[in-house]
């Protein structure tokens, strides 16, 4: 019997640096690349927010179609199905006589629950679900400590990992692929099918995100160009806007690292290199913390207590905040930019979060759930991890004191222009 591997794409929508894909090609006669649109990811949360709002939904759809195009260019295709992976994958395994299924391991509870269901269903068919690791800069197996011993303090984590671990080279993108014979490769739902409306472009936005690996790689090249230019103009750009492609896995963090590292010999690029690297380390850190502590990050009281929550006015205050109607200009500007574009800078995210938690005394989980709906770059570990941290209920209790709303506002909007631009 020929060996046929089903490659289940999730948040790893790329050909470059994709070990799962490379191994599937090497170990099979043909592969079946599959993406499953799972409506559970587009439903409502218990906080009355959506799991995925229209801006990210659009980005996801573009990313999936981008992957299909990329696969077509190397002689393949992507089977697109809609439903529950735990129902569909076993069906496909039987229909196409699949001998093994590959996927990338996730860390947050809903995602790991789904892969457990898939694994159990496949087990009944005596088919193995092979897990790959491909979302982080540093691989779990290369860490100088087991997950349970990863330092809780970010600075210690960074110090140890940089001293004792390695960043592996990227896997080359395949240039040819042999896929299973499929009569109907399926079509992808539209935004309207998902009951979402397209977002109108806001003229104030200085950037447009388009999903897909090709766009992600092109944007990475723009970042590198900006680094080169900054070397002479000294105009540092400390917001790379790489996060949305990283979140969808259309860009691998290792690819980003090795590309920006090529700039090392260019004078004055170190600051930007260090800034992006620091961000990638924070990203790894939260993923590893999720692996270490699991669901604790989704709990309102996490590893400690937020402090005062004004239960009586909570819903009203939350609504004001999300609708950019707090009356506090900078915060309203941040929320307008978020609502209109799906992207705000790190400092803007912290500012909005601090105001919601400390000034409006709303539980941080409502804010995290709202960001989950709105952010174009949402990923569970980065979002819930950062929120827990800002709320002071994260695993590193010492980080509680580092946030300062006034200081943030001075950095975010020193001359008041931001608040004027994004006045709703
Ligand atoms: C309340 C709150 C919620 C957040 N939610 C998310 C989220 O859902 N998804 C997300 O990717 N980031 C999240 N962040 C982290 C950070 O704000 C964004 O990653 C960053 O603003 C993206 O912009 P950039 O690509 O220009 O980042 P850069 O500053 O250029 O950094 C490079 C990359 O490093 C990663 N990164 C940078 N800072 C962080 C950080 N603090 N935590 C984790 N990763 C980081 C991102 O992938 C980013 O693209 C959140 C931060 C806060 C305070």
């Amino acid at each position: 019997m020929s060996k046929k591997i089903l490659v289940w794409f999730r948040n790893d929508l790329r050909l470059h640096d994709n070990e799962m894909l490379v191994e599937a090609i090497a170990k099979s006669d043909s592969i079946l690349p599959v993406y499953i649109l799972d409506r559970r990811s587009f439903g409502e949360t218990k906080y009355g927010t959506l799991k995925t709002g229209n801006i990210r939904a659009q980005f996801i759809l573009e990313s999936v179609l981008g992957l299909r195009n990329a696969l077509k260019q190397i002689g393949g295709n992507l089977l697109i199905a809609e439903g529950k992976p735990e129902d569909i994958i076993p069906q496909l395994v039987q229909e196409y006589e699949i001998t093994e299924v590959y996927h990338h391991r996730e860390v947050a509870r809903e995602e790991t629950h789904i892969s457990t269901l898939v694994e159990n269903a496949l087990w009944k068919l005596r088919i193995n679900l092979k897990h790959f690791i491909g979302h982080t800069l540093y691989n779990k197996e290369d860490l100088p400590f087991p997950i349970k011993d990863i330092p809780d303090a970010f600075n210690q984590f960074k110090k140890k990992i940089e001293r004792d671990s390695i960043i592996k080279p990227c896997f080359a993108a395949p240039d040819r692929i042999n896929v299973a014979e499929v009569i109907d490769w399926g079509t992808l739902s539209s935004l309207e099918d998902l009951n979402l409306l397209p977002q109108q472009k806001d003229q104030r936005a200085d950037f447009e995100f388009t999903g897909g690996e090709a766009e992600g790689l092109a944007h990475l090249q723009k970042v590198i160009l900006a680094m080169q230019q900054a070397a002479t103009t000294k105009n540092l750009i400390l917001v790379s806007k790489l996060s949305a492609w990283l979140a969808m896995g259309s860009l691998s963090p290792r690819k980003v690292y090795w590309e920006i590292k090529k700039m090392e010999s260019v004078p004055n690029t170190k600051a930007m290199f260090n800034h992006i690297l620091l961000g990638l380390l924070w990203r790894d850190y939260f993923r590893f913390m999720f692996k270490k502590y699991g669901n604790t990050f989704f709990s309102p009281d996490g590893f400690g207590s937020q402090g005062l929550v004004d239960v009586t006015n909570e819903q009203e205050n939350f609504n004001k905040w999300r609708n950019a109607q707090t009356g506090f200009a900078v915060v309203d500007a941040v929320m307008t930019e978020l609502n209109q574009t799906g992207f705000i800078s790190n400092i803007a995210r912290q500012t909005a979060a601090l105001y919601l938690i400390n000034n409006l005394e709303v539980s941080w989980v409502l804010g995290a759930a709202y960001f989950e709906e709105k952010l174009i770059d949402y990923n569970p570990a980065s979002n819930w991890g950062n929120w827990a941290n800002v709320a002071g209920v994260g695993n590193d209790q010492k980080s509680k004191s580092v946030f300062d709303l006034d200081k943030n506002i001075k950095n975010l909007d020193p001359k008041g222009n931001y608040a004027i631009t994004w006045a709703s």
Side-chain angles (χ1 to χ4, degrees), residues 239-243 275 279-280 346 349 377-379 383 386:
V239 183
S240 72
K241 293 190 172 136
L242 289 163
S243 52
H275 172 80
L280 294 177
N346 188 51
R349 292 176 205 214
D377 59 22
Y378 169 77
N379 75 72
N383 187 58
N386 270 295

Side-chain angles (χ1 to χ4, degrees), residues 10 104-113 135-136 140 286-292 294-295 298 379-382:
R10 303 178 79 186
H104 273 113
R105 206 190 266 287
E106 293 283 349
V107 287
R109 63 180 173 198
E110 284 166 7
E111 291 77 1
T112 51
H113 177 62
H135 290 299
T136 42
K140 182 169 69 93
F286 283 121
R287 271 194 99 89
F288 292 134
M289 286 302 127
F290 261 57
K291 193 95 193 114
K292 183 172 174 183
N295 293 343
F298 294 105
N379 75 72
S382 298

Side-chain angles (χ1 to χ4, degrees), residues 321 347-361 387 390-391 400 403-406 408:
W321 178 80
I347 198 158
R349 292 176 205 214
Q350 286 176 6
T351 304
L354 285 169
Y355 192 81
L356 181 79
I357 296 163
N358 299 331
N359 297 56
L360 298 177
E361 295 173 352
W387 268 96
V390 177
K400 199 171 177 169
F403 297 103
D404 178 339
L405 181 65
D406 292 335
N408 263 21

Side-chain angles (χ1 to χ4, degrees), residues 9 25 68 134 186 189 203 233 235 261 271 274 324 329-330 333 382 391:
F9 283 95
I25 293 169
R68 174 177 263 183
S189 285
Q203 295 310 320
T233 60
N235 185 12
K261 194 155 169 63
N274 284 342
V330 179
S382 298

